[in-house]
Amino acid sequence: MSTREREGFLWILAAAIGFAFIPTIVKTVYNHSNFEPLDLAVWRFILAAPLMWILVGLRSRSQGPSRGKGISPIGSAFIGLLFAAAVLCAFFALQRLPGSTYVVLFFTYPAMIVLLSAFLGEAISPRAWLALALALVGVGLTVPDFIVPDAVDPVGAILALINAAIVAAYYLMARRVLAGVEDISRASAHMMGATLLILLLSLPVRGLQLPQNPATLVGLSCIATLGTVLPVFATNIAIQRIGPARASLVSTIEPVLAMIVAMILLGEVIVALQWLGAALIVGSVVILQLGASDKVNINIAHEAG
C-alpha cells in the first residue's frame, strides 16, 4: 500500500469517527438546553457553512483555483432543500430515539437507493437485492418492539427512515446535479450555503434561540466542526486518494462506531439482537459497495445525517 493510499484510509477513518459522534453530541445538546430541532439545524449550518468556505479557500490557495465545471445555482437550491428536510428529520428523530437506534436506521439509505432505482425502472443486480433483504432484516432486529409501549418510539423510527429515504433520493438526484463537477469540496460549500439560506427562512416566523450555557455552545461547535465540516472535507480528500468505492466501504464502520460512542458516553443499553441487526445493515452496505462502480461521492450525503 502506497503512502497516498494509507493517507486516504486514515482520512476516511477520521471522517467516519466524526460522523459517528453526531447522534451523541445532538443528544447531549438536547439534554443541556431547551433547543428544538429547527434551532439545532440552523445553528449547525450557521457555524459550518462559513468554516467550509474557509477550508475551500485555503485549499484553492495551495492547489490553485478550480477550472472545472461547478454546481449550478438551481442544483444547489434543490440539494439545499433536500438537506434541510433530511437534517430536520434527523434532529426530530433524535429527540425520540436512542442515538444508537437512530444511526442504524439511517444507514438503511443505501438499501433504499436500490428500491428507488427499481421503482425508476433501473436494472437491479442480485447482489443489490441481497443487500436490500439484509438491510430489512437488520431494521427488524434493531427495532423489534414497536408493539411494546415505550420500547421504541414509532414516530422517531419513522422519522429516521424518512431521513434515510430523503438521503437516498438525494443520491439519485446527485448523479445529475454533480455530473461533471470536479471540485466536490466547493460543491459541498455551495450546498451548505443553500441549506442555511432555506433554514433561515423560518426565523421571521419563530425566531432563533441563542446558546444558553457553555455546554450547549461547545456541543453546537462540535456538531459544526467534528460532525460536519471536517468529516466532509476529510471524505473528499480520501476519495481523491483511494477512490469513492473503497472510501465508501471503509465508512461502513460508522454505525458500529456510533453505537459504541452512544453506549460509552450516553450509557445506552444495546442488546444482542440490535448488534446483530447493525451487523446485517453494515453487511448490506458492504455488499453494495463491493460491487460499486459509480463515481459519484455518496459520502457527501452524510451532511444530511
Side-chain angles (χ1 to χ4, degrees):
M1 181 184 295
S2 68
T3 300
R4 182 180 176 83
E5 288 178 319
R6 252 193 318 271
E7 289 176 351
F9 280 112
L10 290 175
W11 277 112
I12 196 62
L13 180 60
I17 292 171
F19 284 131
F21 271 91
I22 290 180
T24 294
I25 298 172
V26 169
K27 299 288 286 187
T28 302
V29 171
Y30 282 146
N31 291 338
H32 288 86
S33 70
N34 56 0
F35 268 27
E36 294 296 324
L38 188 55
D39 298 306
L40 199 53
V42 173
W43 276 110
R44 179 184 185 181
F45 287 97
I46 283 177
L47 296 174
L51 289 174
M52 190 66 189
W53 275 111
I54 290 172
L55 286 178
V56 169
L58 292 174
R59 198 173 190 195
S60 296
R61 182 176 298 178
S62 63
Q63 297 184 353
S66 173
R67 295 187 177 90
K69 174 186 172 184
I71 187 170
S72 70
I74 294 177
S76 292
F78 184 78
I79 295 298
L81 182 61
L82 285 179
F83 276 172
V87 167
L88 289 175
C89 283
F91 290 166
F92 274 110
L94 282 165
Q95 273 190 322
R96 296 170 171 270
L97 292 176
S100 54
T101 301
Y102 162 78
V103 76
V104 171
L105 292 177
F106 168 70
F107 237 77
T108 59
Y109 78 85
M112 291 188 182
I113 293 172
V114 174
L115 278 179
L116 289 175
S117 298
F119 179 77
L120 294 173
E122 294 186 21
I124 306 300
S125 68
R127 181 198 300 270
W129 285 118
L130 173 60
L132 176 60
L134 288 177
L136 292 176
V137 174
V139 170
L141 293 175
T142 303
V143 283
D145 298 322
F146 278 115
I147 61 174
V148 179
D150 300 325
V152 174
D153 188 305
V155 175
I158 291 171
L159 285 170
L161 291 172
I162 291 174
N163 181 27
I166 294 172
V167 169
Y170 154 78
Y171 174 69
L172 295 177
M173 289 302 302
R175 293 177 181 177
R176 295 183 178 181
V177 174
L178 296 178
V181 175
E182 295 182 6
D183 191 343
I184 298 296
S185 295
R186 188 173 295 273
S188 300
H190 279 292
M191 292 174 187
M192 284 189 189
T195 304
L196 175 58
L197 289 176
I198 290 169
L199 291 171
L200 288 176
L201 293 177
S202 67
L203 297 192
V205 178
R206 66 180 303 280
L208 179 66
Q209 293 194 66
L210 298 176
Q212 299 140 347
N213 51 60
T216 301
L217 184 59
V218 170
L220 292 173
S221 300
C222 288
I223 292 172
T225 54
L226 179 65
T228 306
V229 175
L230 294 181
V232 171
F233 200 75
T235 295
N236 292 329
I237 296 175
I239 284 174
Q240 289 182 334
R241 284 165 168 72
I242 61 175
R246 286 199 287 175
S248 298
L249 187 59
V250 176
S251 71
T252 58
I253 66 170
E254 180 192 329
V256 176
L257 290 176
M259 293 175 73
I260 293 172
V261 170
M263 182 175 63
I264 294 174
L265 298 183
L266 297 179
E268 293 184 3
V269 177
I270 305 172
V271 300
L273 276 179
Q274 288 177 305
W275 284 115
L276 178 58
L280 290 176
I281 292 173
V282 171
S284 74
V285 181
V286 170
I287 287 173
L288 285 172
Q289 296 306 326
L290 285 175
S293 60
D294 198 332
K295 295 183 180 180
V296 176
N297 174 10
I298 72 170
N299 289 282
I300 198 174
H302 285 74
E303 294 172 34

